[in-house]
Amino acid sequence: MSEYVLELKGITKEFPGVKALDNVHFKLKKGEIHALMGENGAGKSTFIKIITGVHSPNKGEMYLYGEKVEFNNPKDAQVKGIAAIYQHVTNFPDLTVTENIFMGHEKVSPITRRLLWKEMHYEARSLLRQLGSTIDPKVEMGSLSVAQQQIVEIAKAISTKAKIIIMDEPTAALTARESEELYKIAEKLRDDGVSIIFISHRFEDMYRLATQVTVLRDAKYMGSWGVDEISNEQLIVQMVGREISQVFPNKHNEIKESILEIKNLGKIGYFADISFNVRKGEIVGLTGLVGAGRTEVCQAICGIAPADKGEIFIKGKKVKIKKPKDAMNFGIGYLPEDRQLQGLILSWDIGRNITLPSMKKYSQKGWLNPKREATVAKELAEKVSVKANSIFDLVSSLSGGNQQKVSVAKLLTADVEVIILDEPTKGVDVGAKSAIYEIINDLAAQGYGVLLVSSEMPEILGLSDRIIVMKEGRIATTLSKEEATQERILEAAMGSEPTNNREVVVEV
Amino acid sequence: MNNKSLAEENYLPNNLANKKEFSLKSFFLQWEWLLILILFLVFIINSILSPYFLDANSLLGATSTFLDKAFIVFPMALIMIMRDIDISVGSTVALSGVVMATVYNSFGFPMEIAILVCLAVGALCGLINGLLIVKFKELSAVIVTLGTMILFRGIAYIILEDQASGNFPDWFNYFGWGTAGNIPFILIAFIIVAIVFTLLLHKTTFGRNVYAIGSNPTASRFSGVSVDKIRVIVFVLAGVMAAVTAIFLASRMGSTRPNVASGYELEVITMAALGGISTVGGKGRMLGTILAVFIIGFLQYGLGLINIPSQTLLIIIGALLILAVATPKLKLPKFLLRK
C-alpha cells in the first residue's frame, strides 16, 4: 500500500475559455491535516470539485490508497470515503439534524424498508457526542448556528465512514471561540486516522492545525512544504508573486474635493465601523477576501440592503438612502457584481438596457421618445465602445466583456457623480478587461468619483489612487497608491495576527 | 443564446446602427398573424354552420354578450407580463357589483354614486391584493389572490345572501344593451379602454417598466425602477377594471347576485395567454390580447347560434389555451429560422 491515501498527478481542468487547473499535484498522508492555500480564483474550489467527483479532469490521474480511481459523480467519491464540508453549508434547513446526517444513506429495516428513526436518532446523538457536542438531533437544522451546522456536517461525514474530509473555509463564518472548537474536532479526527484537507484564507488556521501546506496560484501548482519549513513571507510570495500581466493605461485624473463620505456605517452580522470618503476624480479601491463584507458595504450605500447604523454624506450633505432609486437621485450609480442577474435584462436589446435607469430623462411626461432614446443609447454605447451591429442587438448575444460595457453605459445615462463598480471584470476576457480599465480611468479623468471593488490584486493596484482593505467586516487598513504592494494588501486582508474585536462583528 | 466569438466581435466596427432594419420575415413571424388566421377560421366555420352568423348587425350586437369580462383582460395582461397573476378578479366583480346594488337599493343613494362606490370597491380589492403581494414577498401572487378570491366572494354573500338585487333605473339598464347607431355602448367603451391600455403598455415609461419587472425583477430594482409601486398600481387597475365589468354585467342582466362572474378569472387568463402574453413574464403585446378576446367571444357566440352546449365550448377553450402556451415551445421548421 502506498504511503499516501490520496495522490493527484498532473491534474488539468479546462472550462470553455479558461484553464482552471494546470498540471496540479497533491499528496495526502493518512492522519494528516493538509492546508491548501491560494488567492481567490487560484483554482482551489475546482481542485476540491475534482477530488469530490463534481468535475472530472481533462488530464491527470488520481490515486486512492495507491490505486487509480476515476470519479464520474459525487456519489462515486462518497462511496470511496471522501466527504466535503463547504464554505456555505449545504444542508436542508427545514429538516432535522438526524435527517441531515443520514440524507442519502438512511437506515432502513431490511424487510419492510421502513425508516428506522429510533436507531438514526440514537446514532446521530452518539456521533455528535463523539464530536463533543450536545446538539439535539431532533431539532431543525435551520435553528442552529453556523458553527453547530458545521459540526453536524462533520458528523454526517463521519457517518458515511469518510476517511478523507475536505473542509472548504470552515472558519470563515465562525468566531474565534467557535473556530477553536472546530480545531479540536479536526485534531480529534486526525488522531482517529482521518486525513483532512483544510482550505482557509487565515494564516492562523494553517499554523494552528496543518503540518503540510500546498499552494496554488493562477491555476498552477506552486509547491508543497512542511508548515515549519516555510515562513509567512515566503508563503505570501508563493501565493501572489506573479507579474502584473495586464496593461494598465496611464492615468491622468485630477483629484478634487470629497464627494461621498461614509461615517461609521454598520450592519449587524455583515460589517461595522466603516468610514471612508471618495473624492471627485479619484479611484478608491476596496478589497479584501471574499466574504470580508465589501459587496455588503456597497449595497448599503446604494440602498439595496440599507445599513442599520451610520451616516452617508453627499457633498457634505447628510442623505438617507433606503432604496436604489434614492441612491440614483443622489447621484450614486452602482454596477452590480452579477451583471446577468442584477445588472442587465438579457432578453432586451442594448438600447433599452442602457436607457432603463433614466427613461424619465428621455421621455416627455411619461411618454416614451424612442428616437431620442436611440440617439442617446447609440452615443453611450459608442462611448464605452460596445462592439455590436446595432443597438437593437440583444444583450444575451454579446460576450461577457461587451455585456459589462453595456452595464457601464447604463450607469452613465443617469446623472451620477459617484460610481460604484463591484467586480467589474469578473468573467470578462483579457482583451475586454483592459478596455474596461480604460473606461474606469476615463471616468475618473472626467471627474467622477469611483469606488472600485475587486478581488483581483493587479486591478486594485493598477487603478486605485487609494486602497481600502477590509477584513471580516471591518476596515483593516487604508494604503496610498505608493505604499501599496500585493504583499501588504494580502497581509492586511488575511491578518496573520488575530484581531481582537472580531467576535463583535461576526456574531449575529 | 450563442455568444459571438471574441474575434468575430472585434471585427465589428465601433459604429452602431440606431435605426431598425425592416425584416419581412420577422414581420410575418409574429404571433398576431396566427391569431388573425384563427379569427378568420372562426368566422368561416361559423358562417358555414349558421347562415345567420355573418350579419353585420348581429355581429355587432354579439359583442355586448361577451365583452363585459374583456375589460379585465388588459390589466391581467400587465399582471402576467410582470410574472404575477390575479385569480380574484371574478370575485372582485361580484363584490363590487353587490356593493353597488346595495348602496342603490338598501341605502337609497343615487345610481351615479353607487357606480362610483362600485369603482372604489374594485380599486380597494386591487389595492389589498397588491399590498399583500409586495409586503409578503414569500407569498406568491397565486396564493394571495386565491385567498382574496374566497374572501371577496364570501363578503358578497354576507351582504346579499343568496339573493338578487336589481330594480336599477332605466337608463342604467339601457347602458348594457343600448347602442349608438348600430354600435353597442359596451363596444365603444371596450375600444376606448383598449386604446388606453395599449398606449399605456407600449408608449409610456410605465409600460416599459412593467416589461422590465417581468423580464428581470432584480435588475429592475437595481436600476431604480420602483418595482413595488408599479406592481401595486397594476393590481389596483385590475380591481377597477373588474368593477367596470361589474357595472356592465349588472346593467345587461338587470340585477346582480353574489355568484356572478365565477370562472371569469380563468377565461380572462385564457384570453391573455392565447393573445401571446408570456406565462413566465416579460413578453406579450396588447394587439394579440385584443384579437384573442374576439376569437373566444365569437367562438362562444357562433356555437351558441347552432345550439352547441356550453360544455363543448369549455373543451375548445381548454384546447386553445394549451395551444397558446405550447406553440412558442414547439420547434419551428428550419426554413423559418434561417437568417
Side-chain angles (χ1 to χ4, degrees):
Chain A
M1 203 162 138
S2 155
E3 181 194 356
Y4 302 104
V5 290
L6 178 72
E7 196 175 348
L8 285 92
K9 286 183 186 163
I11 298 288
T12 299
K13 174 73 190 172
E14 282 177 54
F15 292 110
V18 218
K19 227 176 202 177
L21 289 173
D22 188 1
N23 201 19
V24 171
H25 310 279
F26 188 76
K27 285 174 181 170
L28 183 68
K29 282 184 195 156
K30 186 175 160 67
E32 175 184 63
I33 299 181
H34 194 134
L36 183 62
M37 299 195 85
E39 275 191 290
N40 297 331
K44 295 174 307 224
S45 294
T46 313
F47 186 67
I48 293 311
K49 284 179 179 159
I50 298 270
I51 300 178
T52 54
V54 178
H55 295 316
S56 12
N58 299 89
K59 251 188 263 165
E61 288 150 359
M62 180 147 68
Y63 296 89
L64 205 61
Y65 309 108
E67 199 181 304
K68 196 176 170 193
V69 286
E70 250 174 68
F71 297 149
N72 295 315
N73 54 52
K75 190 90 193 167
D76 289 354
Q78 209 184 336
V79 170
K80 296 275 186 189
I82 297 175
I85 293 150
Y86 291 103
Q87 197 169 342
H88 306 287
V89 186
T90 47
N91 55 37
F92 303 89
D94 298 326
L95 299 183
T96 63
V97 168
T98 304
E99 284 169 309
N100 268 284
I101 291 178
F102 290 98
M103 180 60 68
H105 58 280
E106 293 83 356
K107 283 188 182 303
V108 288
S109 148
I111 306 155
T112 59
R113 310 293 296 161
R114 190 175 56 86
L115 287 163
L116 301 172
W117 286 117
K118 238 188 199 164
E119 284 81 348
M120 284 196 273
H121 282 311
Y122 179 80
E123 199 177 317
R125 195 175 308 255
S126 67
L127 279 170
L128 290 167
R129 202 166 298 153
Q130 269 180 47
L131 298 174
S133 164
T134 54
I135 301 166
D136 179 1
K138 287 182 184 172
V139 301
E140 277 182 18
M141 193 77 162
S143 66
L144 303 177
S145 73
V146 179
Q148 288 175 315
Q149 292 188 17
Q150 248 154 9
I151 291 171
V152 174
E153 288 287 318
I154 294 169
K156 180 179 177 176
I158 305 172
S159 78
T160 60
K161 310 269 185 295
K163 287 292 160 215
I164 299 170
I165 296 180
I166 299 158
M167 299 186 184
D168 191 356
E169 291 209 53
T171 56
L174 304 190
T175 61
R177 194 162 15 94
E178 289 168 337
S179 300
E180 187 54 42
E181 266 170 45
L182 188 84
Y183 298 153
K184 286 201 181 114
I185 290 174
E187 280 166 347
K188 190 174 168 340
L189 290 172
R190 178 195 62 197
D191 297 342
D192 292 345
V194 174
S195 309
I196 296 175
I197 304 172
F198 200 95
I199 299 177
S200 174
H201 279 305
R202 291 193 195 162
F203 285 115
E204 51 194 286
D205 288 344
M206 189 198 76
Y207 286 120
R208 171 73 174 71
L209 276 181
T211 44
Q212 189 78 15
V213 54
T214 294
V215 176
L216 298 183
R217 182 214 302 168
D218 292 340
K220 290 191 184 70
Y221 172 75
M222 298 313 298
S224 188
W225 299 269
V227 165
D228 30 18
E229 291 168 26
I230 186 163
S231 72
N232 203 353
E233 289 72 34
Q234 281 173 305
L235 202 56
I236 290 179
V237 168
Q238 289 301 331
M239 286 165 67
V240 301
R242 59 164 170 234
E243 301 137 58
I244 298 179
S245 50
Q246 286 96 354
V247 182
F248 290 93
N250 285 330
K251 297 181 54 145
H252 38 79
N253 55 332
E254 192 187 333
I255 298 170
K256 290 181 191 153
E257 73 274 12
S258 172
I259 176 158
L260 170 73
E261 198 165 358
I262 310 294
K263 273 191 186 154
N264 300 318
L265 213 60
K267 190 172 170 72
I268 295 170
Y270 296 100
F271 55 86
D273 294 333
I274 304 294
S275 304
F276 64 87
N277 72 338
V278 178
R279 289 171 287 181
K280 264 190 155 178
E282 183 182 38
I283 302 175
V284 177
L286 183 59
T287 189
L289 302 171
V290 169
R294 300 164 309 178
T295 296
E296 287 77 8
V297 168
C298 294
Q299 297 203 338
I301 299 171
C302 299
I304 290 157
D308 12 77
K309 264 190 293 186
E311 293 160 324
I312 300 172
F313 296 87
I314 305 276
K315 291 187 195 159
K317 237 173 73 186
K318 192 178 162 181
V319 294
K320 271 221 155 60
I321 297 175
K322 287 188 177 150
K323 49 181 194 285
K325 204 173 175 173
D326 297 342
M328 255 175 229
N329 290 341
F330 291 124
I332 303 173
Y334 178 56
L335 186 107
E337 187 178 355
D338 186 336
R339 68 177 165 267
Q340 307 213 332
L341 197 73
Q342 305 164 330
L344 296 169
I345 298 182
L346 294 180
S347 56
W348 279 18
D349 62 37
I350 298 171
R352 283 194 179 190
N353 265 293
I354 291 179
T355 52
L356 178 66
S358 50
M359 248 184 317
K360 219 174 182 172
K361 228 166 93 184
Y362 309 116
S363 59
Q364 281 124 19
K365 294 185 178 142
W367 294 98
L368 294 172
N369 184 343
K371 245 189 202 159
R372 194 149 160 231
E373 266 186 70
T375 319
V376 173
K378 177 182 156 72
E379 196 186 298
L380 284 168
E382 284 171 7
K383 188 170 170 189
V384 296
S385 50
V386 175
K387 305 254 181 188
N389 284 316
S390 91
I391 58 163
F392 301 106
D393 286 5
L394 295 185
V395 167
S396 53
S397 72
L398 303 177
S399 70
N402 261 325
Q403 286 182 354
Q404 195 64 299
K405 289 183 200 165
V406 174
S407 310
V408 175
K410 218 176 121 176
L411 286 181
L412 302 182
T413 55
D415 285 315
V416 295
E417 290 173 275
V418 180
I419 293 180
I420 301 179
L421 306 164
D422 198 350
E423 302 282 0
T425 59
K426 197 174 162 186
V428 162
D429 46 79
V430 181
K433 256 184 194 173
S434 52
I436 290 170
Y437 295 150
E438 217 163 294
I439 294 167
I440 296 173
N441 272 333
D442 263 4
L443 292 174
Q446 284 168 36
Y448 290 101
V450 179
L451 181 62
L452 171 71
V453 178
S454 178
S455 304
E456 291 202 29
M457 211 66 89
E459 197 167 294
I460 285 283
L461 285 168
L463 291 170
S464 313
D465 297 303
R466 199 147 47 94
I467 296 164
I468 299 168
V469 185
M470 279 185 74
K471 183 193 172 209
E472 288 157 3
R474 285 168 194 275
I475 292 179
T477 184
T478 304
L479 301 166
S480 72
K481 191 179 174 60
E482 293 72 31
E483 299 171 306
T485 60
Q486 300 204 32
E487 288 74 17
R488 284 187 78 164
I489 292 175
L490 205 66
E491 215 163 50
M494 301 174 99
S496 18
E497 67 273 15
T499 35
N500 304 325
N501 41 14
R502 191 171 72 213
E503 299 215 2
V504 186
V505 187
V506 183
E507 241 166 323
V508 182
Chain B
M1 288 288 161
N2 47 336
N3 281 13
K4 287 194 183 77
S5 73
L6 191 64
E8 197 184 327
E9 255 175 12
N10 279 338
Y11 280 116
L12 291 172
N14 183 18
N15 178 12
L16 281 75
N18 63 348
K19 294 220 169 49
K20 226 172 195 159
E21 265 176 60
F22 180 80
S23 146
L24 204 65
K25 199 159 74 198
S26 61
F27 177 70
F28 279 107
L29 266 183
Q30 297 186 72
W31 183 249
E32 282 78 4
W33 289 111
L34 187 64
L35 292 176
I36 289 173
L37 197 71
I38 295 175
L39 190 57
F40 265 109
L41 279 177
V42 169
F43 270 79
I44 291 166
I45 293 169
N46 274 336
S47 49
I48 292 169
L49 291 177
S50 155
Y52 309 108
F53 182 80
L54 266 190
D55 173 73
N57 274 336
S58 69
L59 278 182
L60 281 174
T63 56
S64 51
T65 64
F66 63 73
L67 277 184
D68 49 13
K69 68 199 80 160
F71 292 101
I72 314 172
V73 162
F74 301 110
M76 186 64 84
L78 299 187
I79 287 174
M80 285 166 68
I81 289 172
M82 288 191 315
R83 297 187 187 181
D84 282 323
I85 197 129
D86 184 351
I87 57 171
S88 74
V89 285
S91 297
T92 307
V93 172
L95 179 59
S96 54
V98 162
V99 171
M100 174 175 70
T102 310
V103 165
Y104 176 71
N105 283 323
S106 307
F107 297 106
F109 282 100
M111 197 61 211
E112 291 84 348
I113 300 285
I115 289 173
L116 288 179
V117 171
C118 173
L119 293 170
V121 170
L124 183 68
C125 291
L127 184 67
I128 291 169
N129 281 332
L131 289 179
L132 284 174
I133 287 164
V134 301
K135 291 294 167 209
F136 300 98
K137 293 249 156 45
E138 62 276 20
L139 299 180
S140 69
V142 66
I143 291 300
V144 169
T145 57
L146 177 67
T148 55
M149 170 170 116
I150 299 164
L151 179 78
F152 297 158
R153 183 77 67 181
I155 298 171
Y157 270 107
I158 289 171
I159 294 173
L160 215 54
E161 291 174 338
D162 203 11
Q163 288 168 3
S165 177
N167 299 322
F168 298 123
D170 288 343
W171 65 264
F172 182 75
N173 287 334
Y174 177 65
F175 195 52
W177 285 112
T179 55
N182 280 331
I183 306 166
F185 291 144
I186 192 168
L187 182 59
I188 298 172
F190 177 80
I191 291 169
I192 294 170
V193 172
I195 292 172
V196 169
F197 271 94
T198 306
L199 292 178
L200 182 71
L201 181 61
H202 297 297
K203 298 287 171 198
T204 66
T205 54
F206 184 86
R208 181 73 66 77
N209 284 335
V210 166
Y211 278 116
I213 294 168
S215 301
N216 187 340
T218 313
S220 303
R221 197 166 77 87
F222 279 35
S223 303
V225 175
S226 309
V227 177
D228 288 351
K229 195 167 112 193
I230 290 170
R231 284 172 88 191
V232 172
I233 291 173
V234 172
F235 273 94
V236 170
L237 286 176
V240 171
M241 284 299 126
V244 170
T245 296
I247 293 166
F248 277 103
L249 198 63
S251 164
R252 185 156 63 83
M253 299 198 312
S255 69
T256 193
R257 329 165 52 98
N259 63 351
V260 294
S262 58
Y264 270 26
E265 58 282 342
L266 296 182
E267 282 186 54
V268 164
I269 292 166
T270 307
M271 287 174 185
L274 180 63
I277 304 293
S278 164
T279 41
V280 290
K283 286 201 169 70
R285 275 171 298 203
M286 278 303 176
L287 179 63
T289 315
I290 295 166
L291 288 168
V293 167
F294 285 102
I295 289 173
I296 291 180
F298 280 117
L299 200 61
Q300 239 166 352
Y301 174 70
L303 294 177
L305 279 185
I306 52 168
N307 289 324
I308 285 180
S310 56
Q311 284 84 340
T312 315
L313 186 75
L314 290 180
I315 296 174
I316 295 173
I317 292 180
L320 275 179
L321 181 60
I322 290 169
L323 174 85
V325 295
T327 309
K329 302 274 181 294
L330 294 177
K331 292 224 164 65
L332 282 170
K334 267 211 178 111
F335 72 92
L336 283 175
L337 291 176
R338 210 182 301 137
K339 281 195 176 163

